[in-house]
Amino acid sequence: MPKINIIIICILLISSNIFSQNNNFHLNGKIVDDKNNALQGASILLKPINKGTTSNLKGNYIIDGLKKSKYVIEISFIGYKNLTDTILIEKNTVYNASLTTEILSLQEIVISDNSNEINKKQQSLNVEIVNNTYLKENMGGSLSKSLARLPGVSTMDIGTGQSKPVIRGLGFNRVVVVENGIKHEGQQWGADHGLEIDQFAVDDIEVVKGPSSLMYGSDAIAGVIDVKQNKIPLNNTINANIDLIGKSNNNLLGSSILFSTRKNWFFLNLRATYINYADYKVPTDSVDIYSYKAALYKNQLRNTAGFEKDFHLVFGIIKDKFSSKFFLSSVNSKNGFFANAHGLEPRNVNTQIHDEFSRDILFPYQEFKHYKIINKNKWSFNNLKIEADLGFQNNFRQEWSEYVNHGYMPATFPDSLIFPANLELQFNKNIYSGKIITTYSLSENTNFSAGLNAEYQQNMVDGRGFIIPAFTQTNYGIFALVKQVFSQKHIVQIGIRYDLGNIATESYNDWFLSPNETNISYSYLQRAEKINRNFSNFTYSLGYNYNLEKIALKINAGKSFRMPIAKELAANGVNYHNFSYEVGNSNIKPEISYQLDAGFEVLNKKFAFGATPFLNYFSNYIYLNPSSQHDRLYGNGNQSFYYTESEVLRYGAEIHSHYQLFKNIKLGFIGEYVYSEQLSGEKKGYTIPFSPPTNVLFNVKYSRNSITFVQKPYLSIDYILTATQKNIVPPEEITEGFQLINIRFGGDLKVKNSIVKISMQIQNILNTKYFNHTSYYRLINVPESGRNFIINISIPISLKIKSELKNV
Amino acid sequence: MNPAKILIIVSLVVFSITSCKKETTEIDKQKPEIIINIDGTFPLNCDTLYFGETFNVKMLFSDNFELGSYSIDIHNNFDHHSHSTEVTECQLNPIKTPINPFTYINDFTIPVSQKQYQTNLPILIPTENENGIFDEGDYHFFISLTDKEGWSTQKGFSIKILKR
């Protein structure tokens, strides 16, 4: 029984009794979503007899009294793409279908939380779902950038191509990124590099806003970005897809080529992506780095060029009751840092060498390689579903810069050391992960799931700089979740979880001598001593949904936690990029957060409005607190920054709305607001670092079915207003507000049998000079990139394999 | 009024109230300052110091609430790596490889509850250490100042240290 999981269908023709005389057949089956959750209330219609029904709570349907004939079956459900197929009924027939989420409304402006999509309605936390089309239409320099338009999502950037996702003002280790079911592990704590994910290889993304430790364990305090590669080719087809991308600002050229095929239960996807870009341009002639003015050549931010090279192999077997998929990927990138400032430290550079070519990558630069192997398995029995995922990852990252003898380092680099003089930092991390989740349906209204996940990390360090010591880390978590539906309108979910963790850091000594207090004797200072800490934590979540036809309400209360990371426990070195001497605290407790989330949405044909307020309390928010002290010996005269715990209160909301003004014109609005305040400690009254400013977005979208030869043409204009961020904490600076206009337009072109999709964007059309409060380069006054014209062309090529199975 | 309308109104009101919330507690958002235009400020960009002699660091520090501490770092700039914070360019000697460059790092406290503080700090530059005589040439004089809340400011000067 072949079954196609995602984009399209799942046909099951049990057998063919061609000569049957019986004229009273029935057609039955099950309608599920792309996560294999039953869809209740889907409409099933047979044409031309116009006989139909709707699916029940388990997604099952039956239509009987059918004559032997060919029918057209139409399956539709609000929030999902309609499915139309031709079927031949010559016996009692089973036709199962999997519907994909219809994300059209998201492309335009919103829909988001609590929309009519059933899987959102069934989750008690606020969720945003986007697909590949949305990503292409909104493609930024990185995956996180492409998501930044979503309400409550922003980024932490360094330059244009490197960014990390931020959910409601929290980022780094407080957001979990999951790819194909396995937590993505890199060096999440670092501000100066991005997420190692190829945004072309993404099919769907689910953004969960709110404490998600229950399902994802430590770190999911602010939320989860769940990235899925779930496209499975149609049976008996060979497909290719060529994506071409170009950007004017940094002369980026790139291509991603996908090859996919499927023969019955076996499928295979192969993808290669290559992107190459030059220095990016900013709307300014010079940059003030601590009042040291660095002139820019042709508005180019010197040495920010780079490239990305990714490979993916996905294959697996899809059977009716069992599926097993393998995801192998290698994501590689090399990109330069702005040469006039390594980190925040001003540098004199040879501008002649740097300005000769805009595509070369000189010192300082970073390089990473991220390898991943994931195996995802799923068994479905009558009332029982078991999922088991296994993963291995290797994250290798290097920072290269010319040797400079900071502090007591020798003036000339000794040749007796094992690492090269110009290797500033190197991290090499192996990550082994595993997860099992079982879901059992006790009755139509009661679901029970339980799961277990485990992760082991081994992190090695090298290079002349010291930021974190080498460490190993182990985490185990066990959880249980009950979901109960009452009278089809009310859903209650209760979950509990228990986690155990261990982190063991290695000791580290300087490779150079430092003088003691009296300048008489010299020693190799010990920066970090061995630390071995065990953690345990109990978390819970309680959610309630109330769903009416046009109104949805949800409320969720939850506790989340985060194990302290090696840097917070054991840092003891100078970060010359920030003029800071950073000191960890080996006694820090796991960070605990309590959050109350609500969401409501009203939706009808022409109008939608939704709001998602939250209230959040941290009993011990961990952050790097700049003190008034300087340190000579360990800090080489730099200001001391200590990892500190303080109570933090945060609240905020996102609101979104859209209105269909005319048949072809839709107006939209998104607003985001977050307030944070430290309630205790040395910085009582201050906000927490990197608080995003209040932001509103107005949108007008014009779209229609076709204009001459262009199908589904659209033109969408965003007007973004960002408030001044005055709520700052040392060492931040007040960031002025700004206004931006971005335009998106495109459509589909029919070329022979293929539909070529063209998406274009003009970002920052007025070439406005503005600063992003959460950019790493904000402190040295590097503005965000100037006007950028982006074009993305997606060309599908599809071939059918001659099939003996086709009987339609 | 239907519940949908009530919800919309309530959320708009909540959103606008929270968006406009005024700060209630006064917190310090100003960095301290290193003032280098008072009479006799020393050293300044492009100044020269001498081995075997003591010089006086004279600078005025100022903060709106309370000063914290400061540190001084003198290191060679034979490779012209320069993190000067000053606009004026100094005449640098040719790039050279350091043999035994002079390094000075120290941190200093400022008496508590000071909004203004003038340094009068003598620093002796020795002529040699156990490795021999120090290299003459281009150096950096780097000073970092904090206030009590942890705001900081930095100044970097290009200087020369020569033998008299």
Side-chain angles (χ1 to χ4, degrees):
Chain A
M1 294 199 296
K3 178 182 158 202
I4 307 177
N5 233 356
I6 280 322
I7 292 288
I8 320 250
I9 324 167
C10 205
I11 300 181
L12 256 206
L13 297 170
I14 282 182
S15 68
S16 32
N17 189 349
I18 298 162
F19 302 105
S20 168
Q21 297 300 308
N22 191 343
N23 260 1
N24 190 15
F25 301 121
H26 71 253
L27 171 73
N28 72 312
K30 184 171 180 171
I31 315 294
V32 294
D33 67 11
D34 45 16
K35 286 179 179 160
N36 225 2
N37 294 322
L39 286 181
Q40 179 203 357
S43 139
I44 298 105
L45 187 67
L46 285 183
K47 285 182 173 180
I49 57 166
N50 279 337
K51 192 165 186 174
T53 181
T54 53
S55 55
N56 70 8
L57 197 65
K58 281 187 163 179
N60 294 328
Y61 72 93
I62 182 156
I63 303 175
D64 44 30
L66 296 175
K67 289 179 180 157
K68 178 185 164 186
S69 176
K70 233 184 208 179
Y71 296 95
V72 172
I73 181 167
E74 273 186 13
I75 303 171
S76 59
F77 191 67
I78 300 169
Y80 291 82
K81 283 182 191 155
N82 287 357
L83 193 150
T84 310
D85 199 2
T86 313
I87 51 170
L88 181 65
I89 307 270
E90 47 198 11
K91 194 190 187 307
N92 288 342
T93 304
V94 178
Y95 186 96
N96 293 331
S98 162
L99 298 184
T100 9
T101 337
E102 169 71 88
I103 304 147
L104 269 177
S105 40
L106 250 178
Q107 291 166 7
E108 293 139 31
I109 170 105
V110 256
I111 280 286
S112 28
D113 316 318
N114 316 3
S115 75
N116 253 338
E117 298 163 28
I118 206 132
N119 62 345
K120 284 187 178 181
K121 271 192 163 181
Q122 294 200 342
Q123 297 197 28
S124 57
L125 276 168
N126 294 305
V127 179
E128 307 278 352
I129 300 171
V130 297
N131 65 359
N132 182 272
T133 311
Y134 177 89
L135 285 181
K136 278 177 186 157
E137 289 182 7
N138 291 276
M139 191 164 271
S142 64
L143 178 67
S144 317
K145 269 278 184 222
S146 307
L147 294 175
R149 191 173 176 274
L150 296 174
V153 181
S154 56
T155 59
M156 238 333 286
D157 304 320
I158 181 164
T160 52
Q162 307 293 321
S163 40
K164 292 207 154 104
V166 173
I167 297 177
R168 288 170 164 169
L170 298 178
F172 303 111
N173 285 70
R174 294 185 182 92
V175 169
V176 165
V177 176
V178 173
E179 196 180 19
N180 296 317
I182 294 289
K183 184 179 170 197
H184 181 83
E185 289 279 3
Q187 304 290 342
Q188 291 100 314
W189 49 268
D192 53 359
H193 56 275
L195 200 58
E196 303 88 350
I197 287 183
D198 175 8
Q199 58 173 335
F200 283 101
V202 173
D203 293 327
D204 286 297
I205 297 183
E206 196 176 299
V207 179
V208 184
K209 297 183 285 187
S212 311
S213 281
L214 181 69
M215 298 296 279
Y216 299 93
S218 172
D219 295 12
I221 276 188
V224 176
I225 309 248
D226 191 351
V227 177
K228 292 163 198 172
Q229 275 174 281
N230 48 15
K231 265 189 190 164
I232 288 167
L234 267 176
N235 199 5
N236 294 312
T237 57
I238 298 176
N239 308 283
N241 195 86
I242 302 167
D243 272 299
L244 300 169
I245 186 165
K247 293 185 190 178
S248 66
N249 182 283
N250 57 355
N251 292 319
L252 177 143
L253 285 172
S255 180
S256 184
I257 297 172
L258 170 75
F259 167 83
S260 64
T261 186
R262 176 170 171 198
K263 184 78 184 167
N264 300 334
W265 48 264
F266 181 78
F267 77 98
L268 176 100
N269 293 343
L270 270 168
R271 180 185 285 280
T273 303
Y274 182 76
I275 294 168
N276 190 305
Y277 50 94
D279 298 347
Y280 74 95
K281 293 190 221 37
V282 287
T284 183
D285 295 329
S286 64
V287 171
D288 287 310
I289 311 161
Y290 291 99
S291 73
Y292 170 85
K293 212 180 202 72
L296 300 181
Y297 174 73
K298 287 183 177 171
N299 299 83
Q300 289 166 352
L301 205 62
R302 207 162 274 129
N303 199 44
T304 52
F307 65 80
E308 186 178 326
K309 222 165 35 180
D310 311 323
F311 301 97
H312 306 264
L313 167 64
V314 183
F315 62 92
I317 54 171
I318 311 278
K319 296 262 194 178
D320 186 43
K321 293 207 154 102
F322 171 70
S323 72
S324 182
K325 300 175 194 170
F326 289 83
F327 302 86
L328 280 69
S329 65
S330 155
V331 176
N332 311 278
S333 160
K334 178 178 172 182
N335 68 282
F337 291 120
F338 177 37
N340 289 87
H342 188 27
L344 309 181
E345 177 198 33
R347 288 284 176 95
N348 245 358
V349 293
N350 187 336
T351 49
Q352 211 185 333
I353 294 175
H354 275 288
D355 298 340
E356 200 174 350
F357 302 106
S358 60
R359 275 189 190 274
D360 55 356
I361 307 165
L362 304 170
F363 286 132
Y365 68 85
Q366 60 177 334
E367 220 173 347
F368 71 72
K369 295 175 169 66
H370 195 105
Y371 300 106
K372 233 180 225 189
I373 303 172
I374 293 172
N375 174 225
K376 231 174 137 48
N377 304 292
K378 194 148 113 185
W379 293 266
S380 307
F381 308 101
N382 287 340
N383 295 323
L384 183 69
K385 200 172 75 184
I386 301 171
E387 288 169 86
D389 303 342
L390 290 169
F392 168 75
Q393 298 171 71
N394 174 261
N395 182 281
F396 182 78
R397 186 169 170 274
Q398 289 181 320
E399 251 179 60
W400 294 85
S401 64
E402 231 162 334
Y403 176 67
V404 173
N405 66 315
H406 283 296
Y408 296 110
M409 293 179 197
T412 42
F413 188 78
D415 48 17
S416 55
L417 291 163
I418 46 164
F419 51 86
N422 295 331
L423 179 63
E424 190 176 348
L425 292 170
Q426 177 180 303
F427 304 102
N428 190 359
K429 185 167 173 177
N430 291 322
I431 306 104
Y432 306 83
S433 332
K435 179 172 101 179
I436 296 179
I437 299 178
T438 57
T439 308
Y440 182 70
S441 305
L442 287 172
S443 74
E444 288 197 342
N445 290 324
T446 312
N447 257 302
F448 177 78
S449 11
L452 174 81
N453 47 18
E455 189 191 78
Y456 173 75
Q457 291 185 28
Q458 182 191 22
N459 206 338
M460 295 154 277
V461 297
D462 206 349
R464 65 172 198 265
F466 171 76
I467 293 189
I468 56 164
F471 67 90
T472 56
Q473 186 177 323
T474 319
N475 294 56
Y476 302 98
I478 180 164
F479 68 90
L481 178 72
V482 182
K483 182 163 152 186
Q484 175 71 45
V485 182
F486 299 100
S487 62
Q488 300 193 13
K489 281 180 194 160
H490 310 269
I491 305 172
V492 174
Q493 294 185 60
I494 301 170
I496 50 167
R497 181 185 177 101
Y498 188 73
D499 278 272
L500 282 174
N502 171 273
I503 181 164
T505 66
E506 305 274 312
S507 64
Y508 179 90
N509 283 64
D510 277 344
W511 52 269
F512 56 90
L513 292 164
S514 297
N516 69 356
E517 289 297 328
T518 51
N519 275 344
I520 294 165
S521 63
Y522 288 78
S523 63
Y524 296 100
L525 287 183
Q526 188 178 55
R527 293 267 166 201
E529 34 179 85
K530 275 187 180 226
I531 298 173
N532 194 328
R533 295 267 325 257
N534 291 312
F535 304 99
S536 64
N537 198 63
F538 174 72
T539 39
Y540 52 83
S541 173
L542 178 66
Y544 168 70
N545 294 52
Y546 178 63
N547 295 319
L548 290 176
E549 198 183 335
K550 285 178 180 167
I551 299 173
L553 280 169
K554 55 172 72 172
I555 190 153
N556 188 82
K559 178 189 171 197
S560 264
F561 83 106
R562 181 174 70 83
M563 260 172 62
I565 58 173
K567 192 167 189 264
E568 293 162 339
L569 292 168
N572 186 9
V574 182
N575 187 345
Y576 285 99
H577 302 177
N578 298 357
F579 304 113
S580 59
Y581 164 52
E582 301 177 352
V583 190
N585 177 352
S586 58
N587 295 317
I588 276 177
K589 295 190 294 289
E591 192 173 73
I592 305 288
S593 158
Y594 303 88
Q595 186 158 319
L596 186 66
D597 276 276
F600 61 82
E601 173 136 333
V602 282
L603 185 76
N604 64 33
K605 271 184 188 156
K606 288 184 99 173
F607 174 75
F609 175 85
T612 51
F614 71 96
L615 180 68
N616 171 219
Y617 167 77
F618 277 90
S619 58
N620 59 327
Y621 181 85
I622 302 170
Y623 90 109
L624 191 57
N625 177 30
S627 77
S628 65
Q629 298 141 32
H630 288 83
D631 188 278
R632 178 192 72 89
L633 185 59
Y634 285 90
N636 297 163
N638 285 282
Q639 185 186 359
S640 307
F641 285 55
Y642 297 100
Y643 276 101
T644 313
E645 297 166 276
S646 69
E647 281 174 277
V648 168
L649 178 72
R650 301 168 65 246
Y651 56 82
E654 298 87 41
I655 60 177
H656 60 83
S657 176
H658 64 84
Y659 178 66
Q660 193 81 42
L661 188 62
F662 302 114
K663 191 173 157 249
N664 297 323
I665 295 180
K666 197 169 185 177
L667 304 177
F669 171 81
I670 297 176
E672 318 170 277
Y673 172 77
V674 181
Y675 179 82
S676 313
E677 187 177 327
Q678 300 190 41
L679 302 179
S680 66
E682 248 181 70
K683 294 290 185 289
K684 187 178 172 183
Y686 284 89
T687 185
I688 56 174
F690 302 116
S691 296
T694 303
N695 187 54
V696 292
L697 182 154
F698 299 93
N699 172 269
V700 183
K701 179 162 181 173
Y702 176 82
S703 62
R704 53 192 293 173
N705 283 335
S706 68
I707 302 177
T708 63
F709 58 91
V710 185
Q711 313 262 309
K712 292 188 196 159
Y714 66 94
L715 169 68
S716 178
I717 303 170
D718 279 354
Y719 172 60
I720 299 164
L721 265 167
T722 301
T724 299
Q725 183 53 285
K726 292 181 189 154
N727 215 357
I728 55 169
V729 58
E732 295 178 352
E733 302 217 13
I734 288 174
T735 304
E736 287 297 315
F738 56 89
Q739 302 170 37
L740 273 188
I741 298 177
N742 297 332
I743 295 184
R744 286 182 299 281
F745 53 101
D748 297 346
L749 296 178
K750 206 164 177 192
V751 182
K752 289 190 180 168
N753 287 326
S754 299
I755 289 172
V756 175
K757 198 163 186 61
I758 300 177
S759 322
M760 286 176 275
Q761 288 183 76
I762 307 173
Q763 292 175 341
N764 192 3
I765 195 164
L766 302 177
N767 207 26
T768 308
K769 180 182 174 181
Y770 69 100
F771 297 96
N772 176 1
H773 189 68
T774 56
S775 165
Y776 186 74
Y777 281 150
R778 165 68 192 101
L779 290 179
I780 51 168
N781 295 308
V782 175
E784 293 301 296
S785 74
R787 187 182 300 119
N788 195 5
F789 179 79
I790 300 169
I791 181 161
N792 191 308
I793 304 173
S794 190
I795 310 161
I797 300 161
S798 190
L799 292 171
K800 273 208 174 89
I801 306 174
K802 203 172 66 183
S803 154
E804 67 278 15
L805 267 177
K806 284 266 166 182
N807 53 3
V808 179
Chain B
M1 224 160 138
N2 69 35
K5 280 185 183 154
I6 295 171
L7 288 177
I8 293 167
I9 291 162
V10 168
S11 68
L12 281 174
V13 168
V14 169
F15 190 77
S16 47
I17 290 172
T18 52
S19 305
C20 301
K21 184 181 175 276
K22 289 273 172 292
E23 280 153 31
T24 44
T25 46
E26 198 193 348
I27 54 168
D28 179 19
K29 288 178 182 172
Q30 261 183 46
K31 293 180 173 186
E33 277 182 273
I34 301 172
I35 299 164
I36 55 169
N37 56 11
I38 58 155
D39 247 10
T41 298
F42 191 82
L44 282 171
N45 207 28
C46 313
D47 274 344
T48 303
L49 309 176
Y50 295 96
F51 286 112
E53 294 183 11
T54 298
F55 71 100
N56 243 335
V57 179
K58 190 178 171 191
M59 275 173 207
L60 182 65
F61 300 152
S62 162
D63 186 57
N64 58 334
F65 277 96
E66 184 178 344
L67 289 162
S69 67
Y70 68 105
S71 79
I72 289 171
D73 177 336
I74 303 171
H75 57 265
N76 83 81
N77 183 27
F78 302 161
D79 61 350
H80 297 183
H81 71 271
S82 180
H83 35 221
S84 163
T85 60
E86 300 311 292
V87 182
T88 49
E89 296 267 342
C90 309
Q91 192 72 47
L92 296 180
N93 295 348
I95 289 177
K96 65 172 182 179
T97 309
I99 299 160
N100 186 27
F102 172 68
T103 302
Y104 176 91
I105 300 171
N106 220 339
D107 61 293
F108 306 93
T109 53
I110 294 171
V112 291
S113 309
Q114 301 289 304
K115 283 191 180 182
Q116 284 218 326
Y117 179 76
Q118 191 175 316
T119 61
N120 191 14
L121 176 76
I123 295 177
L124 170 71
I125 306 179
T127 49
E128 57 181 15
N129 63 1
E130 68 278 9
N131 296 329
I133 291 171
F134 286 124
D135 299 347
E136 280 190 302
D138 293 306
Y139 281 83
H140 274 149
F141 181 92
F142 194 80
I143 183 159
S144 166
L145 170 71
T146 57
D147 70 7
K148 192 163 176 290
E149 287 75 25
W151 293 106
S152 68
T153 190
Q154 292 83 24
K155 284 246 179 245
F157 301 129
S158 283
I159 56 163
K160 284 188 197 303
I161 309 183
L162 302 174
K163 279 172 222 156
R164 182 80 83 174

